[in-house]
Amino acid sequence: GENVEQHPSTLSVQEGDSAVIKCTYSDSASNYFPWYKQELGKRPQLIIDIRSNVGEKKDQRIAVTLNKTAKHFSLHITETQPEDSAVYFCAATNNNDMRFGAGTRLTVKP
Amino acid sequence: EAQVTQNPRYLITVTGKKLTVTCSQNMNHEYMSWYRQDPGLGLRQIYYSMNVEVTDKGDVPEGYKVSRKEKRNFPLILESPSPNQTSLYFCASSQMGERKGGETQYFGPGTRLLVL
């Protein structure tokens, strides 16, 4: 089955800097890669996703890149703000079950 | 309002006392799933369902049961809860379309369970 690894587990950046979170997956059949943001005490919420037929996707300050050959995908947040502080999860699915990374706790210091 | 709801939101129980956590969605989604979230382990899938009367095991199904008798509901049943099932549980749903499970999942608010 699919196995997703996520790094780093914690990340601290200064406000205005960029943050990068990386994930690798094992199943070459995986075709959908969402990223979720979870604030303290809240449910995970989708922030961006990418499908296997696309290499990069951007939405304002957030971008995701996918390297199918290397089986890894990354989340990039530019011009970070304190409200970006949260736990971020990557995930991969090969059509039926969705596997999540262990999460990255991002702290943006004002 | 399109949403996924779960009940109860918080539950304290004792070992061996059967319990059910309900999950309901009003988006006519075919796919529904249950996850548990534990510190350092992320979200692990317990069971999922691709349609009515179709359920499959996820990563960590032991000690849990599910049923999908109606499209909108997907209850999680713990027949004999144990302390290692203390966790935060999330229900999620998504469309199926051509990509089956490869669609955006919408999460419920979570159920925090403590088994003594």
Side-chain angles (χ1 to χ4, degrees):
Chain A
E2 176 64 275
N3 182 47
V4 177
E5 295 193 357
Q6 182 172 346
H7 300 279
S9 56
T10 60
L11 179 59
S12 182
V13 299
Q14 219 43 56
E15 182 177 359
D17 287 351
S18 294
V20 180
I21 302 170
K22 298 181 179 181
C23 288
T24 60
Y25 63 99
S26 60
D27 188 346
S28 56
S30 288
N31 58 13
Y32 177 65
F33 307 90
W35 284 89
Y36 287 87
K37 175 184 180 182
Q38 187 178 29
E39 295 175 344
L40 191 62
K42 302 280 183 68
R43 72 190 80 188
Q45 296 213 303
L46 182 79
I47 54 170
I48 196 166
D49 56 10
I50 193 167
R51 299 195 185 274
S52 57
N53 58 347
V54 175
E56 185 174 357
K57 184 176 178 181
K58 191 173 180 181
D59 183 3
Q60 299 183 335
R61 296 185 298 109
I62 297 173
V64 57
T65 57
L66 171 65
N67 183 327
K68 283 176 58 182
T69 304
K71 295 207 275 288
H72 66 69
F73 57 114
S74 301
L75 176 72
H76 304 253
I77 306 174
T78 58
E79 300 169 29
T80 54
Q81 301 165 2
E83 51 265 40
D84 293 330
S85 296
V87 177
Y88 291 81
F89 292 98
C90 63
T93 180
N94 58 359
N95 287 340
N96 296 331
D97 54 345
M98 183 171 283
R99 300 295 174 92
F100 285 80
T104 296
R105 183 174 298 280
L106 174 64
T107 302
V108 180
K109 299 181 204 171
Chain B
E1 181 191 350
Q3 60 182 348
V4 180
T5 57
Q6 293 178 230
N7 281 293
R9 295 288 314 279
Y10 305 92
L11 180 60
I12 301 175
T13 189
V14 295
T15 298
K17 187 176 181 183
K18 181 180 179 179
L19 67 91
T20 299
V21 184
T22 65
C23 173
S24 184
Q25 49 91 8
N26 62 1
M27 295 172 279
N28 202 36
H29 285 165
E30 295 91 348
Y31 185 95
M32 296 186 75
S33 182
W34 275 103
Y35 297 90
R36 61 177 288 173
Q37 184 174 24
D38 303 290
L41 297 176
L43 291 147
R44 293 181 293 167
Q45 193 170 44
I46 303 170
Y47 270 95
Y48 63 94
S49 168
M50 290 197 282
N51 216 325
V52 175
E53 302 291 1
V54 179
T55 62
D56 278 295
K57 295 178 181 179
D59 256 345
V60 288
E62 295 77 20
Y64 304 94
K65 285 174 59 177
V66 293
S67 70
R68 189 89 183 275
K69 292 182 170 42
E70 307 163 280
K71 197 172 188 179
R72 63 181 293 129
N73 296 323
F74 190 45
L76 179 69
I77 303 152
L78 284 70
E79 294 270 3
S80 182
S82 61
N84 64 11
Q85 292 178 298
T86 292
S87 188
L88 177 59
Y89 291 86
F90 286 101
C91 178
S93 73
S94 71
Q95 292 179 327
M96 285 288 286
E98 294 179 2
R99 298 186 179 90
K100 295 188 180 178
E103 294 288 344
T104 302
Q105 292 197 15
Y106 297 89
F107 283 83
T111 295
R112 192 167 290 279
L113 173 66
L114 172 62
V115 183
L116 300 172

